[in-house]
Amino acid sequence: MQFQTRELPELSAGEVLVRNVYTTLCGSDLHTFCGLRKENTPTVLGHEIVGKVVEISESHSGKDFAGNVLNEGDIVTWSIFSADPASEMSKLGMPQKTPGVFKYGHATVTEKDAFHGGLAEYCLLKPHTAILKIPDNVSLPVAATLNCAVATVAGALRHAGTVKGKTVLITGTGLLGMVCAAMCKDAGAEKIIAADISPQRLQQSLAFGVEETCLMTPGSGAENESALSSLDSEIDIVFDMSGSPEAMEEGVAVLGIGGVAVWVGAVFRQRKVMLDAEQIIRRLITVKGLHNYNYEDFVYAVDFMRRNAQRFPFEQIIGKEFSLSEAEQAFEYALTNRPLRVGIRIEGQ
């Protein structure tokens, strides 16, 4: 990891210049840092970002994605991708899968394009980036997670269908799992159960709307006794936020007739998942996968946090805060201590 100094370019048509104020380290950032996830280099990591509007190009609409007027000095966050709205994937509601989509915090640094990540003082927002103002009651550390973790969970709930009145199981209680519990509670779930291999995380999840917990055993899975088999409730929806093959197998196994499994956490290669096809057919089970989110999910995420920032202890998600000059120490701390998030406050703010 190294620091570089670059000159800010003039804005092109449709661009917005933002001064980064806060960035949180997502799991994918940690995977890249330690080599589990391959990324073209050099790059500027960090995509969970909140910033302050510095300049708006004349050809920009001057409004955020929700139609609010943008002004210099406004605190905003933005979608982690910029996608052509005329593309087939965008028309199908999957703009994040548009060929050639641009992703902040994942792009290669070039001589002409270097300001596109959170671990920098500035970010240059490209055309077709969904920008949203941050509600006044949402703090900077929490706001930084809106455009990744919170928006992704919003997409997971959309995939799951109606949550109101349902019994929900969440496997994996990292930040995605905590947000999922809170979002399901807000959406009127009848009962929320969380399962994890960490008793500490399970205890923490109770403050985010979880009513029952289940301690799982590493290395269980489809061919061994399920830790979830002791659950008394019939599960309507299971969200896997862990990425663990064992958790995904066990989650599907306990779904009731007509149940839905939404898999979100498996974003790097592991062993194949083993499922009983006959049971999926006979019990009318649906399995859906989600990677990132669409613009409507992003809007839902910001509105959810506006309504619930004080209802749940989101301020506790930051385990420790660092400055931008301490970015490498921040990664080391995150990998060693595994808090829900590590925050990086950009100097000069």
Side-chain angles (χ1 to χ4, degrees), residues 3 8 16-25 29 39 42-51 78-81 102-110 113-126 147 324 327 331 344 346:
F3 287 92
L8 285 170
V16 175
L17 178 65
V18 173
R19 186 177 181 93
N20 296 335
V21 296
Y22 206 98
T23 297
T24 44
L25 298 183
D29 293 320
E39 196 78 79
T43 188
V44 182
L45 288 176
H47 53 270
E48 292 186 340
I49 326 169
V50 61
W78 52 94
S79 55
I80 60 173
F81 58 86
F102 181 88
K103 297 189 72 174
Y104 296 96
H106 298 283
T108 305
V109 171
T110 66
D113 192 11
F115 297 94
H116 41 57
L119 297 184
E121 291 183 310
Y122 293 91
C123 202
L124 197 58
L125 307 188
K126 299 182 179 299
N147 76 340
L324 180 59
F331 275 95
I344 297 181
I346 311 303

Side-chain angles (χ1 to χ4, degrees), residues 22 24 141 204 314-322 333-334 337-343:
Y22 206 98
T24 44
Q204 188 176 11
F314 288 109
E315 297 298 332
Q316 298 177 11
I317 66 177
I318 303 298
K320 190 172 182 179
E321 212 174 73
F322 294 81
Y333 180 88
N337 296 279
R338 298 290 180 180
L340 293 176
R341 283 294 186 271
V342 164

Side-chain angles (χ1 to χ4, degrees), residues 26-329:
C26 177
S28 64
D29 293 320
L30 303 182
H31 295 156
T32 301
F33 183 81
C34 62
L36 285 175
R37 188 177 187 278
K38 295 194 179 297
E39 196 78 79
N40 291 329
T41 55
T43 188
V44 182
L45 288 176
H47 53 270
E48 292 186 340
I49 326 169
V50 61
K52 185 182 295 185
V53 174
V54 175
E55 185 180 356
I56 304 169
S57 66
E58 291 184 3
S59 59
H60 191 274
S61 69
K63 296 181 179 180
D64 74 358
F65 191 78
N68 301 305
V69 175
L70 280 177
N71 298 296
E72 292 182 10
D74 283 344
I75 302 298
V76 297
T77 188
W78 52 94
S79 55
I80 60 173
F81 58 86
S82 169
D84 180 1
S87 72
E88 288 302 313
M89 287 293 101
S90 290
K91 292 176 182 178
L92 291 170
M94 298 180 285
Q96 73 273 34
K97 292 303 173 184
T98 297
V101 66
F102 181 88
K103 297 189 72 174
Y104 296 96
H106 298 283
T108 305
V109 171
T110 66
E111 285 299 319
K112 296 183 179 180
D113 192 11
F115 297 94
H116 41 57
L119 297 184
E121 291 183 310
Y122 293 91
C123 202
L124 197 58
L125 307 188
K126 299 182 179 299
H128 310 310
T129 300
I131 304 170
L132 288 174
K133 286 187 176 184
I134 300 300
D136 293 338
N137 65 324
V138 179
S139 68
L140 294 179
V142 175
T145 67
L146 287 170
N147 76 340
C148 183
V150 185
T152 298
V153 173
L157 263 70
R158 172 173 54 84
H159 271 334
T162 302
V163 173
K164 187 175 182 178
K166 301 291 181 66
T167 296
V168 174
L169 169 66
I170 302 166
T171 51
T173 51
L175 183 57
L176 287 171
M178 302 292 185
V179 173
C180 188
M183 204 171 279
C184 287
K185 191 74 171 179
D186 176 65
E190 177 70 22
K191 185 176 184 180
I192 303 168
I193 305 168
D196 203 304
I197 60 173
S198 167
Q200 293 78 17
R201 287 280 179 87
L202 289 175
Q203 181 63 34
Q204 188 176 11
S205 73
L206 296 174
F208 288 87
V210 170
E211 297 155 282
E212 182 179 340
T213 63
C214 179
L215 185 63
M216 301 181 75
T217 304
S220 51
E223 294 184 336
N224 301 295
E225 183 178 356
S226 170
L228 300 177
S229 60
S230 61
L231 294 176
D232 294 329
S233 305
E234 183 170 283
I235 307 300
D236 300 305
I237 304 168
V238 59
F239 295 98
D240 180 68
M241 304 301 187
S242 70
S244 161
E246 292 83 9
M248 288 183 275
E249 291 161 356
E250 293 189 32
V252 170
V254 297
L255 275 172
I257 293 174
V260 178
V262 182
W263 292 350
V264 178
V267 290
F268 57 93
R269 289 189 179 276
Q270 297 192 77
R271 70 161 176 84
K272 304 293 185 183
V273 173
M274 297 181 290
L275 297 178
D276 186 331
E278 180 193 12
Q279 286 302 304
I280 288 190
I281 292 168
R282 291 189 181 279
R283 290 190 287 124
L284 309 179
I285 299 298
T286 300
V287 179
K288 297 183 178 183
L290 175 70
H291 183 230
N292 297 146
Y293 53 86
N294 65 25
Y295 294 124
E296 288 69 32
D297 300 328
F298 184 32
V299 173
Y300 185 95
V302 174
D303 185 61
F304 162 80
M305 195 57 71
R306 176 188 61 78
R307 291 182 288 104
N308 292 280
Q310 281 71 51
R311 181 181 179 186
F312 302 100
F314 288 109
E315 297 298 332
Q316 298 177 11
I317 66 177
I318 303 298
K320 190 172 182 179
E321 212 174 73
F322 294 81
S323 66
L324 180 59
S325 62
E326 300 170 320
E328 191 157 356
Q329 295 98 302

